[in-house]
Amino acid sequence: MQVWDVVILGGGAAGCTAALYCARAGLSAAVLEQTGAVGQMAITNWVDNYPGFPEGISGFQLAEQMRRGAERYGARFFQTDMQTAALGGECKRIGTDMGEFQGKTVILATGADPRPLGLPEERRLFGRGVSYCATCDGPLYRGKTVAVVGGGNSAAEEAAFLAGFCEKVYLIHRRDALRAEKGVQEKLFAAKNVEILWNTQVAALLGGDRLTGLSLQRRGKTELFALECDGLFVAIGRTPNTGLFAGEVALDAGGYVLADETTNANCPGVFAAGDVRRKPLRQIATAVADGAVAASQAAAYLQGSGQRPPAARYERLYGFDTPLGEN
């Protein structure tokens, strides 16, 4: 059985970049993509904020170009159902419906999915007025009316960001107080074109080919009322795809892999790149950066010079003093 130098879980921006850098460094790299899974980049209608494409590029086209770049240097892509992961020890093992993949190192790049509202028209209107990222799509709504759903830091920050160029921003929250931090709330309340709809939830999305408005419901009321808007930004949280390796690496309370800017997880030879890693900003650009760093760290680890954090650093970052597998 082949033992790969690097097995990369996930074929999005982070995974493709890691594969490219690993292959160019002369490492054998296998990229495992979950059957039926479509990364956030590939289903993004249009990417306007990735450097090098001044006119923008479709998310699907960008994803395909990243993959072809990695394949050009010899990275191998496999679409398979990943079922188990054993990441301790010198040889990492990933069980799939194609059999077991073994690697000397593993890069976790499985991403995180935005949590949807769960409304019938939501998927159909994605990219046609419904978005999960104001930083990505907000500038498309310059001078228009938009709504943001949520009450945490992400929702408040996105509403404040949109207020900088949208004519009107509605923040829809199902409770009577925000969960966002005080400083974030102060910035939001300072925006004169933001209106908060308290104790309100979205009952339905309105529109044909594009979103034209929302059907809303006040808490404790049965009647619905309509709100006209050009865009809806859903900011009710994300779900990291870490179920496969929960228990193998340390995760934070939200389920994200605990790894700093070196991308080192707490298990030797395991690295985390992209949206699956705990980080302040999740964008294609930051995923690409993580992928490059993870590949560099994997190569250094294989050469015996990896920058693994010392025990004291694990205590400070993760709350325990010994990397997994070293007890």
Side-chain angles (χ1 to χ4, degrees):
M1 175 180 290
Q2 178 175 0
V3 178
W4 301 83
D5 290 323
V6 186
V7 176
I8 301 166
L9 309 188
C16 283
T17 304
L20 171 64
Y21 275 70
C22 286
R24 280 175 55 87
L27 305 178
S28 59
V31 183
L32 310 186
E33 300 178 283
Q34 192 76 13
T35 301
V38 181
Q40 293 301 305
M41 176 171 60
I43 62 175
T44 299
N45 183 47
W46 198 254
V47 178
D48 257 332
N49 62 343
Y50 189 70
F53 297 92
E55 303 303 321
I57 185 174
S58 77
F60 179 79
Q61 186 179 6
L62 182 58
E64 284 296 299
Q65 290 188 17
M66 286 187 179
R67 175 175 176 147
R68 288 201 303 268
E71 289 177 328
R72 175 188 173 201
Y73 286 95
R76 296 281 306 280
F77 284 72
F78 301 89
Q79 190 165 66
T80 180
D81 285 323
M82 292 179 276
Q83 299 166 344
T84 61
L87 304 180
E90 293 186 4
C91 185
K92 323 298 181 184
R93 302 173 185 273
I94 308 299
T96 78
D97 62 350
M98 295 176 61
E100 186 175 80
F101 285 80
Q102 297 185 8
K104 299 173 186 175
T105 63
V106 167
I107 295 176
L108 309 175
T110 47
D113 296 328
R115 194 171 298 148
L117 293 171
L119 297 174
E121 299 298 311
E122 189 170 359
R123 185 172 182 83
R124 182 179 67 81
L125 290 172
F126 174 67
R128 296 177 173 84
V130 174
S131 173
Y132 301 91
C133 178
T135 307
C136 311
D137 301 328
L140 300 174
Y141 297 88
R142 188 175 301 276
K144 298 184 177 181
T145 297
V146 300
V148 178
V149 180
N153 281 340
S154 294
E157 287 170 352
E158 294 207 346
F161 170 74
L162 292 165
F165 45 82
C166 291
E167 180 179 356
K168 179 75 174 183
V169 178
Y170 292 96
L171 178 60
I172 302 168
H173 186 41
R174 60 180 179 173
R175 297 189 175 92
D176 58 4
L178 299 177
R179 302 187 310 277
E181 296 170 356
K182 181 180 179 181
V184 177
Q185 291 194 42
E186 289 175 349
K187 182 179 179 180
L188 175 69
F189 295 149
K192 303 301 183 183
N193 57 338
V194 174
E195 181 178 343
I196 302 179
L197 302 180
W198 303 105
N199 299 311
T200 303
Q201 61 185 13
V202 181
L205 307 179
L206 308 176
D209 293 336
R210 288 193 59 82
L211 181 81
T212 58
L214 310 172
S215 179
L216 304 178
Q217 184 177 28
R218 301 281 189 188
R219 188 171 65 182
K221 305 291 185 180
T222 56
E223 63 272 15
L224 304 177
F225 66 99
L227 176 71
E228 292 185 3
C229 63
D230 302 292
L232 172 67
F233 293 86
V234 181
I236 57 174
R238 286 178 174 264
T239 304
N241 297 314
T242 53
L244 179 68
F245 38 84
E248 295 292 316
V249 296
L251 308 177
D252 70 8
Y256 292 96
V257 179
L258 285 167
D260 65 7
E261 292 301 315
T262 69
T263 74
N264 281 268
N266 66 312
C267 187
V270 179
F271 311 89
D275 288 1
V276 76
R277 180 175 77 83
R278 184 173 70 176
K279 57 197 302 184
L281 180 65
R282 294 182 171 85
Q283 294 281 281
I284 296 174
T286 62
V288 166
D290 278 0
V293 173
S296 173
Q297 290 291 295
Y301 177 87
L302 292 170
Q303 294 167 3
S305 59
Q307 301 175 24
R308 290 180 47 229
R313 192 171 176 199
Y314 275 93
E315 172 66 29
R316 187 174 73 254
L317 292 174
Y318 309 135
F320 50 85
D321 58 9
T322 306
L324 292 181
E326 295 189 1
N327 290 322

